[in-house]
Amino acid sequence: MLKLSVADDANVQPLASLNDHRMSHPPPSPIYTLRGAGGPLNSLHFRCYGEDAPLLFSGSGKGCIHIWNLNTRRTNKVIEGHSGSSIIWVCTKRSKDTLISQGRDMQICLWDLGEGRCDLLDSVWTGSVGFCQCSMLETSPISSLLAFAGQQTEEIKIIELPSKIQICTLMPVAKVGMVMCINLFQPDSCPGPLLLAGYEEGSLLLWDVTQQSILSQVKAHPDPVMCLTFDPTRLRGISGSSEKNLSSWKLDEKNNLQLQGGVTLANPGVSQLCIREDGKLLASAGWDSRVRVFGWKKLRPLAVLQYHTDMVLSVAFSDHQDPRQRLMAAGSKDQRISLWSLYNES
Amino acid sequence: LQRNTSVSDSDSVRLEVSACLRCLSSSDSSRNITVLQTLLSYLDEASHGAAQRAQFSRSHYSRTLRVLITTIEADWVHRLTARQREELWDALFLRGPPEQALLVLLEAIGELSPSTSLDHVVTITEKFLQDGRLTNLLWSYCVGSAQSDSPQLRETLLGRLSALPDIMANKLHHNISPLFLPQQYYPLLASAMLTALQRTCQALRGQHQPDNINCSLAFVSQTLGKLCLQGHGGLVLAAMAPRLSACTRSDMVWQRVCWKLFESIPQRSMECVLTALVLAVSGIVGNLVLRNKKAEFVITHKLLLLQYKYETGVLRTVLGYLAADRDRRPLLIQVLRCICQAWANPSAVKHTPMEQQLYVSKALLLSVSLLKDQELQDLRSELLQCLLGGMQSHLDSSVLRIRCVGMVVGECLSSRMDNADTKLKFEYEQDEETRELLSLMTPSGWCEPESESLQETKELAPNTCSVASQRRQTTPPLAPTDPDSDLDSDDELTPYDMTEDQEVSQTSPPRYLRDCLESLMSSEDAMRVELSLKAADPLVRRNAFAAREISVQMSKVLLHMEDKYNIQGFLILRHAAMVALAVTDCIPVTQYLTTEFYSLNYSLRQRLDMLEVLVAAAQELSLPTTDKKNSSIISALDVAELPPFQGHDPVHWRQVVEKRIQSKTRRISKGASQPATAKATPNRYAPVAGYFFFPLLKNYDKPEVTFDLLGSDHLVLGRLIHSLGLFMHLAVNAPVAAQMGSALLDFVWTVRYHTDQMVRRGVLFAVCSVFLSMPSQNLLLDLGDMLFETRTWLTDVAEGDPDADCRSLAVQSLVLLDKSLKKQLKDPQSPSLES
């Protein structure tokens, strides 16, 4: 027994020293940057699967949606559809050609991008004056659910696309303030979709969409919940606020939210959080102009990326099919997008 | 008639023995076997009457053996068969009174030169030991049957018994039998003593038996005492103590025998026995300390207060022994009082070595932890007195370790005395020493020997040790790994360097030196002050010209600056900025600082800061500057050194080839083949050394209202002297070094016997640096008589100073001085070049 443990120690030793050695690697630089968005970059969205050239959509504070070709690293097209109001969210549907954008002009627009077009297909009036980004859940190849903040500050509306039928309105009874961020997902355990929402007062609420009832509520932050992201396979999520702490939480079998601790950052304020598809990395867009990368499983800090000169507003991981090509993009108030290649070896 | 027969008996024995011996010593050997048999028969019970045997043993045995030894070389002895020799010749030694046999044997071994005869005698001695004759020897003294008992003989015998391994080793050197090695002999002797004791016990128990005898343990005690006195107590008692303590635990007779044994130990060896004993085990001594004054002194005073070489375990044993019995309890209290006084004595704190203070502190904590609550209540006021006095004198000390010990002891005492409300609490760094002291308050390692069997205690000690060591081994690997580590974790992702991830500040640092000074002087914004402080050092170094204009003003501002905003690393930043100023604009800043050092209205901290800044600046100035330009100069030199083209010069071709081979061959042994990297640069410190040094020598003896260097502010004095020593050391090879050296020696002379060891250390350091840095020709010339006085003082310190550092420093300075003097006397003309 003793011998064994000694042998283990001997094995462990060189590994540890190797780690120490690698520890000293300087943080990486972006592999390239995209300039010319002409405004703060509020939202980024990759579309890299399929045979077409990989694309990056960005929504700027000046009301433009830029479609970047990542091969040529230039804009394919610029869409100006929200009458100059800031774009706060862009997304595409699986059926490639539909782009959805949300602007501060209280409109959500659907665009048809097929065969080089960029036609406005439809638009939805939200009535929300806040900054809450929409959340979309594709329930079938043709239909999807879209959740967005409604006219009243605490109200969340869910509609079905493309029919635009309103499915429900979620209004908390308790006073939790304005809705700040939402995430719609379909867990395996429930028949209907669930919705996570972060509110101004710092609470996280888990809504059952079909029952229109609150399943669970936790106070995750003392300040408004600025952003949240959720990993449906591990049933874990994390939320950021205007303070220094990221708060991690978990969904147990009875659909109860449980706080799990979190991470403390060097500087306060997080605008966006994003988990890579393989569930290994978590990136945070910090107000201190730095992007921080963590291991998602244990929230171990891995890298602090310094490139931007102003607040980082958005961060996104690409959906490349080949994991080696995966990218991370960060959009900042300094009007630049930086692209990074991180931990792609395996 | 009876008397007549006895007389005739004794006469007949004498006549017969004489005849036999005559026969043996004569060369005629035919009858010798019968003669030996006759002699042997006197040792047998069957053949002669008791009176005759006693007569033989008393008067004739030693003589017989001596004659035998003298005939050992004789032909007839050699002609004996091995069996005859064993049965007749050897048996005479092994069956008679053992004490006489042993003496004769050892005498013979001492006299004989290496030969077969010597080997023979050694073999007999070995047999003597193996046959357990030692037991017989001891027992014969116990029952008083040893006939020849004079004090001289007894003393000789004791000496021989205790020194047998030495005697054998002196004679036999490497060919010694393992039996005579101390590791085997002393346990053998110990077991012989045990057997003797056991027989005594049996004899005491068997009152009804016919062989009812009076036993005396004096000889065994004396043997034990002698052994311990000669330093073999460890080996002997290691063999005896476990058995004794096991036997005494249950058996009344054994207890009495044992106590008697220790009571009859001679006075002069009592201490050795006791110390050896407490190292082994203490339960077997009984209440010896109450009956024997010497034992009381050793246990309660000498072991605790006079000596300090023992491990903590010994302290535990001694104090535990005192605490274990109701009768001994008053002694514990008395001991505690003494220890308290010793601990709290301010003179002891100053004048005794650190190790002893630690020892006394341990003893104090241990004895307090052994007190019962009732006793504690009785002693409360005295303990409090001790605590207050002791804390003050410990905290006054300038040695960190002493302060630390004081704090730990104070905490422990106060927490033991008061239950909850008024505990002392200090901030000190946890290290090995403080942890050990703290652990003494929990009575874990010590267990009462009366209550538990020895085997258990014996096992317990190594167990706890091994558990502790295991814990020590296992904890470090545990620490870095996370508690819930599984293979499927983030560990495969190696993190990048994240040291850059600092807090971002809002305001920008000042870009001009004057802005920096302005904000340091008048800004109320914490952030700006912090940034200015951080920027000060690089700004000063970058703008040397601007810095010269405001150097003194800025030094003043920095010196008076307080950490109002709790800036992280405030002291380091301020220090760095001041050093930068002193380096950039050396003379005005040093003048300012050295004059301010002796002026009014500075705190000790500020004065120490000044010294630190001066020292750091001097160090920086004395370092060679590294310039980027050097490399280009070197390469230019390289080119110049290339041999000029030699055109038609008919150089011998062999030379050319050799040169080429030389240039192509890599000489590993030649370390400095490349152009010398250390280029000579001017020493920036040498010209200004005096500005650092001499102003600080003035005014030291002029006490101010707020600053009394030779009085209570000895902390600063120690630092000052140390700094002066450093200036001296850095001034090596400077022209001014000789004057500095003699001035410094003059200066430290007055304080060389200061009571504070920090000051003494500083003085010795300064003296060391004088000898190091002063050119050796000046040493004799300038210092002259002073040098020899210094020498005597240094030897004095090296021998007698209570502080270990002081002693070693003194030795070091003596060595340096001698080296320097020797060099000068050997070669008086050459200037000293080495540093």
Side-chain angles (χ1 to χ4, degrees), chain B residues 39 419 559 562 671:
Chain B
L39 287 173
N419 291 327
L559 185 62
E562 281 169 7

Side-chain angles (χ1 to χ4, degrees), chain B residues 482-786:
Chain B
D482 282 332
D484 56 335
S485 74
D486 50 333
L487 287 173
D488 180 40
S489 69
D490 304 337
D491 293 343
E492 59 197 283
L493 309 170
T494 45
Y496 291 95
D497 180 24
M498 280 174 286
T499 47
E500 292 292 302
D501 191 19
Q502 302 292 333
E503 275 191 50
V504 185
S505 55
Q506 300 303 315
T507 38
S508 61
R511 294 202 164 75
Y512 295 95
L513 200 54
R514 281 189 186 276
D515 288 350
C516 182
L517 178 62
E518 197 65 33
S519 67
L520 286 178
M521 263 163 41
S522 54
S523 176
E524 294 294 319
D525 179 4
M527 194 62 86
R528 265 187 75 196
V529 173
E530 182 173 357
L531 286 172
S532 303
L533 196 59
K534 275 182 187 157
D537 175 26
L539 274 178
V540 166
R541 286 174 194 276
R542 238 180 294 137
N543 313 311
F545 193 75
R548 282 201 190 97
E549 290 172 357
I550 55 163
S551 59
V552 173
Q553 193 190 0
M554 190 155 173
S555 296
K556 196 186 280 176
V557 169
L558 285 168
L559 185 62
H560 289 91
M561 199 169 162
E562 281 169 7
D563 191 4
K564 263 192 288 187
Y565 306 110
N566 198 14
I567 297 167
Q568 210 180 1
F570 172 81
L571 287 175
I572 299 166
L573 290 171
R574 189 179 69 147
H575 176 80
M578 288 176 79
V579 171
L581 283 168
V583 168
T584 326
D585 194 19
C586 184
I587 295 174
V589 175
T590 45
Q591 271 171 348
Y592 171 71
L593 289 177
T594 47
T595 37
E596 291 304 293
F597 181 77
Y598 283 112
S599 59
L600 276 168
N601 296 334
Y602 280 103
S603 69
L604 292 187
R605 179 68 249 171
Q606 280 169 319
R607 292 187 211 269
L608 292 180
D609 283 343
M610 293 180 217
L611 285 179
E612 274 168 21
V613 168
L614 286 170
V615 163
Q619 268 170 334
E620 192 180 327
L621 283 174
S622 68
L623 288 177
T625 45
T626 45
D627 268 343
K628 293 279 184 261
K629 291 176 212 158
N630 289 359
S631 54
S632 61
I633 297 168
I634 286 165
S635 61
L637 281 174
D638 243 13
V639 174
E641 272 174 4
L642 281 177
F645 179 61
Q646 295 182 333
H648 306 288
D649 207 333
V651 191
H652 201 277
W653 63 270
R654 197 184 290 273
Q655 272 184 11
V656 176
V657 171
E658 263 176 14
K659 244 183 207 165
R660 275 199 192 158
I661 291 173
Q662 290 260 319
S663 67
K664 290 277 159 74
T665 320
R666 242 184 242 165
R667 293 286 162 93
I668 294 168
S669 58
K670 272 189 194 168
S673 58
Q674 63 264 69
T677 45
K679 203 182 153 288
T681 47
N683 184 346
R684 291 184 293 161
Y685 175 64
V688 293
Y691 289 97
F692 283 87
F693 185 80
F694 290 110
L696 287 179
L697 294 185
K698 287 190 294 192
N699 299 331
Y700 70 93
D701 49 355
K702 198 173 13 167
E704 300 278 354
V705 187
T706 50
F707 185 47
D708 183 10
L709 202 52
L710 293 183
S712 56
D713 293 328
H714 44 76
L715 178 70
V716 185
L717 181 64
R719 287 288 187 83
L720 170 67
I721 295 174
H722 191 268
S723 310
L724 289 172
L726 257 170
F727 296 143
M728 181 71 224
H729 175 65
L730 295 172
V732 65
N733 295 333
V736 74
Q739 286 132 21
M740 281 170 74
S742 41
L744 184 55
L745 269 193
D746 267 344
F747 177 68
V748 297
W749 192 248
T750 45
V751 288
R752 68 194 189 283
Y753 284 120
H754 202 277
T755 44
D756 187 353
Q757 61 250 59
M758 292 310 280
V759 176
R760 289 203 306 272
R761 277 184 210 175
V763 167
L764 286 161
F765 174 79
V767 170
C768 259
S769 62
V770 168
F771 293 149
L772 261 178
S773 302
M774 230 170 127
S776 53
Q777 70 267 34
N778 290 82
L779 213 55
L780 261 182
L781 224 63
D782 296 359
L783 298 181
D785 292 342
M786 180 106 173

